[in-house]
Amino acid sequence: SLSVSQSQRAVCPRAGAQVVEEGEMRNAILCCLAVFASSADGLLPGSFPMSSGRAAAACSRVSPVNMAGATALAAKTKVLESVHEVMDETQLMFCVRSEGLMVNEMNDLRQKLPEGVTLKCVKNTLINIAVQDHEHYNADNIKELLHYSNYWFFVPETQMRDSVKLWNDWLKEKKKENVIVGGVFGAEVLDTAGIEAVSKLPTKQELMGKTASLLKCLPQKIARSVKEAGAVRIARGVKEARGSKMARAVKAASEKMPQ
């Protein structure tokens, strides 16, 4: 025959759940009493010793709950460490809403990401904690982006243009509407247009290449300018000299003419 608790579970699942919760609460109370009794043994009048076996048995009944909490904490810590790692190695992060995006689709997209780019689905609370240790991501108004569920792109400077373009092209291909919500660059929160603008900025390598090219051409331009300036001065001097000679000749001829 079914016991009272078993029959309650069979008749009403909610009642069964309530019985389980009451049992867990009772076990927790027993564990607390066991700890208190063992610590107060010999101190209170009429106190009775509790064997270590009984205390361990009482506490062991709630250990699965503690283990589950420890497991969840360890998982969050691992995710947070991975976020710290990618933040160290990137200069831009931007997010898109995860609604309507299938896991297998995102896994396929990960295979196409440029080198050094990381795509993660991270809880907003963990993002908020992580940015506090990274100056280039620690924007004052970061919480403007921390709504709903998001996929986050962590992008190195050299891949900003390609990463944004890849996502926009992927949206067109898949006919999705998950446009870029915004992101952070240089400790500033940017909207969709801001992320697009930043992605088109020249990289440091590109700027260095242009600077080197300008410096290489600069001596030639200076020499050409000096040469042209010198030629102009010489021509002007010759012209002036010719003009002065002509004036002297005219003056001399006029003096020799009879009055």
Side-chain angles (χ1 to χ4, degrees):
S1 62
L2 293 173
S3 63
V4 176
S5 60
Q6 290 174 330
S7 62
Q8 287 177 341
R9 295 173 190 172
V11 174
C12 179
R14 183 177 297 177
Q18 183 178 359
V19 171
V20 173
E21 292 177 359
E22 291 177 352
E24 292 179 352
M25 184 179 296
R26 183 172 59 252
N27 291 337
I29 293 173
L30 288 174
C31 182
C32 293
L33 290 175
V35 174
F36 174 75
S38 61
S39 61
D41 186 21
L43 298 178
L44 298 177
S47 61
F48 59 93
M50 175 177 282
S51 65
S52 59
R54 291 175 61 188
C59 292
S60 64
R61 297 173 186 173
V62 295
S63 59
V65 178
N66 296 334
M67 290 179 61
T71 302
L73 180 60
K76 291 181 180 180
T77 302
K78 185 176 181 180
V79 172
L80 188 59
E81 290 176 351
S82 67
V83 173
H84 279 305
E85 183 177 349
V86 295
M87 284 185 174
D88 281 335
E89 300 172 352
T90 56
Q91 285 73 43
L92 169 69
M93 70 178 192
F94 63 88
C95 65
V96 299
R97 301 295 186 227
S98 63
E99 183 179 1
L101 301 178
M102 307 300 293
V103 174
N104 58 339
E105 291 178 333
M106 303 309 289
N107 288 337
D108 291 339
L109 179 63
R110 284 187 175 93
Q111 305 303 318
K112 303 175 183 178
L113 293 175
E115 184 179 359
V117 179
T118 302
L119 172 61
K120 286 181 173 291
C121 187
V122 186
K123 290 185 176 181
N124 295 327
T125 52
L126 295 181
I127 290 291
N128 192 36
I129 293 173
V131 297
Q132 297 176 20
D133 292 335
H134 302 271
E135 184 177 355
H136 61 297
Y137 285 141
N138 191 16
D140 294 335
N141 51 340
I142 181 67
K143 292 185 178 179
E144 293 179 4
L145 303 173
L146 305 181
H147 301 287
Y148 307 103
S149 177
N150 301 295
Y151 276 101
W152 288 89
F153 290 78
F154 300 91
V155 188
E157 181 187 13
T158 55
Q159 303 292 0
M160 294 191 300
R161 186 181 308 146
D162 293 340
S163 298
V164 173
K165 183 179 184 301
L166 174 66
W167 177 251
N168 291 334
D169 292 344
W170 188 85
L171 288 181
K172 294 178 182 178
E173 178 186 347
K174 300 296 182 180
K175 297 180 179 180
K176 303 282 188 180
E177 298 181 357
N178 304 66
V179 297
I180 295 173
V181 176
V184 182
F185 178 78
E188 295 290 338
V189 171
L190 305 176
D191 57 9
T192 305
I195 295 297
E196 291 283 352
V198 165
S199 69
K200 297 175 182 179
L201 292 175
T203 64
K204 289 182 180 179
Q205 291 181 349
E206 291 172 342
L207 289 175
M208 291 174 63
K210 290 181 179 179
T211 302
S213 178
L214 290 174
L215 291 175
K216 184 178 180 181
C217 297
L218 187 59
Q220 297 176 357
K221 290 183 178 180
I222 293 175
R224 190 182 302 115
S225 298
V226 171
K227 184 177 180 180
E228 291 175 353
V232 169
R233 287 197 297 269
I234 293 172
R236 186 183 299 116
V238 171
K239 185 177 181 180
E240 291 176 353
R242 288 177 179 175
S244 62
K245 286 182 180 179
M246 180 66 69
R248 287 197 298 270
V250 171
K251 182 178 181 181
S254 62
E255 290 176 352
K256 292 180 181 180
M257 292 178 66
Q259 298 297 327

